[in-house]
Structures are given as C-alpha cells and as structure tokens.
Amino acid sequence: MKGKYAVVTGGSRGIGRAVCLELARGGANVALCYAGNEAAAQEAAAACAALGVKALIFRCDVSDAGQVSRFMEYVLGEFGRIDILVNNAGITRDGLLMSMKETDFDAVLSANLKGTFLCMKAVSRQMLKQRYGRIVNLSSVVGLRGNAGQVNYAASKAGVIGLTKSAAKELAGRNITVNAVAPGFIETDMTAALPEKARESLLPSIPMGRMGAAEDAARAVAFLAGEGAGYITGQVLCVDGGMAM
Ligand code: NAP
C-alpha cells in the first residue's frame, strides 16, 4: 500500500471515511470526493494527512459524467497515477414498491450504480496504461438478499455485483482486479436514519448479534485494494457478522 495513489468516492463520512484512513494508515495517498459536506471532507482529509500521506478533496456528484471526469483529471494532474479506486458513494431513498416515486428510483440507481460505472470507466484507461489497478465497489447484503422497502437500493447494489464481475473479466488480463464488498448493517449516518424499532428487529438476523463498525468494512476494502489480494478478482466479500450466509 505504501506510496500507492487511491481514489475514494464518498470519503467524507461513514465507511468511505474509514476506508480513507485505513488506506492512509497503510501509506497510500488518498483523493476523496464528496457530494456536499465540505466540512466533513476537509476533516477526513486532515485526518489522512496527519498520518503522513497526501490527501486531496474534490466536490463531485458521481452520477454526473462531466463532474467525474473533472475529478479524475484533477487527481491525475496531482498524483500522476491512480492505483486504487474505491466506489463507495451511495444513498438510500426507501419506500414500498407500490408508492415509490420514480424520482427516488432514478436517484438511487444514478448515484449507486451509474456512479460506480462512470468512475470505473474514467479510471480504466489509466489503469490499463499502468497495467496495474485495484477496484473495490461497495455493494450490500441487500443486493444479494433483497429487502422490503428498498427495491431501488437492492437493484442498484445487485447491479454493482454484475458490473464488478463483468469488469473483472474485461480487465483481469492487465493485472487489474475488480471486487465488491457487501456490508451488512454498519453504524453510519445512513443506518442512523433507521427507527430504533427497526434497528432492534434487525439484530436477531445477525449471527454475531451486533451491527458492524465502519472500520470492519474498511479493513475488508483495504485487503482487496492491497498487494496481498492480487490473485482475487470478481468476488463479493460479505462483511455482515454472518447475516447473509
Ligand atoms: P453515509 O454515511 O451516508 O455516507 C455517504 C457518503 O457518500 C458521504 O461521503 C456522501 O458525501 C457521499 N455521497 C452520497 N451521494 C454521493 C454522490 N452522488 N456523489 C458523491 N458522493 C456522494 O453512507 P455509508 O453508510 O458510509 O455507506 C457507504 C457505502 O456503503 C454506500 O455505498 C452504501 O450503500 C454502502 N453500504 C452501507 C451499509 C451500512 O450499513 N451503512 C450497508 C451496506 C452497504 P457527503 O458527506 O458530501 O454527503
């Protein structure tokens, strides 16, 4: 990891922030993007820089192709290469199928699935040139098992798995691995929005009996982004306390 150059989308908070710190702890320089929370992005970058690496921030909506290409151009201008891409930016807009607004379906697919596609596409030329790359996409156990009230989110996260496996097959010959991490229920702002009753009812479905920490997911991402995972591609690693087995 030392001296590598990493891009983490949605690195300002939650799992993305923990991934930035885990990569920085291993010696990687980190460029993170965020949707709107600049103070959180600055704080995350400062925490990475305090570990002795370069840390950049860039406001970029990953669902917008123009913004994604400007972000990657900026990173390449500053870093000169991109060794690691972590597609972590994601949102939820929950609701039952019958009453889900089309705009909520589109927003979730755009941020979670199209955003992952756009970022992978934007870095693929550089990684092919380098003949080196590690791409890790955040899916979810919900993409494997489905979840009532989340048809949009489940579709986006199942789509991320298809995207991951297809890109893994396309890029494997150039020493570029593409894998997915599928977290279960992790304590972040995203899950803090769940009502206490819903959180309590989820616990019995987790064999380990507790929600995960952002760092639990981040360590799995860092493993797949590291040298040690060089012969692993097209895989989905669940980090879920046993929930999806
Ligand atoms: P979170 O705490 O809500 O943080 C989301 C991050 O994504 C923030 O940094 C946010 O930026 C950024 N973001 C959102 N939309 C974006 C966009 N369109 N463009 C760029 N950045 C955007 O979420 P989290 O819980 O850490 O989740 C991280 C990833 O793990 C997501 O893909 C999520 O689906 C997945 N996941 C989470 C869980 C869980 O239990 N938490 C479980 C399974 C999978 P701002 O700070 O600027 O808003």
Side-chain angles (χ1 to χ4, degrees):
M1 198 66 80
K2 201 167 169 51
K4 292 275 192 273
Y5 292 96
V7 169
V8 180
T9 69
S12 46
R13 291 182 288 120
I15 294 170
R17 179 185 181 279
V19 168
C20 290
L21 283 167
E22 193 63 27
L23 297 179
R25 230 171 262 125
N29 305 289
V30 179
L32 68 92
C33 81
Y34 63 100
N37 197 335
E38 183 163 354
Q42 277 171 347
E43 185 281 330
C48 292
L51 294 164
V53 300
K54 286 186 197 152
L56 308 174
I57 63 169
F58 198 92
R59 184 176 181 150
C60 167
D61 176 353
V62 293
S63 65
D64 181 307
Q67 293 186 36
V68 168
S69 72
R70 282 193 288 283
F71 174 41
M72 297 307 174
E73 275 164 25
Y74 169 68
V75 176
L76 278 175
E78 296 291 318
F79 283 173
R81 56 184 286 133
I82 297 172
D83 301 295
I84 297 163
L85 168 66
V86 180
N87 283 305
N88 163 83
I91 58 167
T92 52
R93 295 276 187 282
D94 296 352
L96 294 174
L97 170 65
M98 227 168 56
S99 51
M100 183 174 286
K101 290 192 200 119
E102 192 179 336
T103 48
D104 286 340
F105 187 86
D106 288 345
V108 169
L109 268 289
S110 290
N112 299 4
L113 182 58
K114 185 179 161 196
T116 301
F117 158 71
L118 290 174
C119 292
M120 285 171 66
K121 185 177 173 190
V123 303
S124 60
R125 190 180 299 274
Q126 178 65 26
M127 286 186 173
L128 285 166
K129 216 159 69 181
Q130 294 167 184
R131 290 184 176 267
Y132 184 91
R134 295 275 185 273
I135 300 175
V136 185
N137 298 327
L138 269 291
S139 177
S140 166
V141 294
V142 168
L144 293 167
R145 299 182 3 152
N147 195 28
Q150 292 197 307
V151 291
N152 49 359
Y153 184 76
S156 74
K157 293 300 182 178
V160 165
I161 293 173
L163 200 61
T164 299
K165 289 177 186 271
S166 303
K169 287 185 174 173
E170 284 187 23
L171 301 173
R174 298 288 187 95
N175 196 27
I176 300 166
T177 65
V178 191
N179 291 289
V181 166
F185 282 90
I186 307 288
E187 297 268 14
T188 66
D189 294 343
M190 188 179 269
T191 47
L194 285 173
E196 192 53 39
K197 237 178 154 183
R199 289 157 67 91
E200 274 168 21
S201 70
L202 281 167
L203 286 180
S205 68
I206 306 172
M208 293 190 78
R210 64 169 178 89
M211 291 180 75
E215 291 70 24
D216 291 319
R219 280 189 288 269
V221 171
F223 165 66
L224 290 170
E227 292 295 316
Y231 199 55
I232 302 173
T233 197
Q235 300 304 304
V236 182
L237 179 54
C238 292
V239 181
D240 63 352
M243 202 180 159
M245 71 177 149

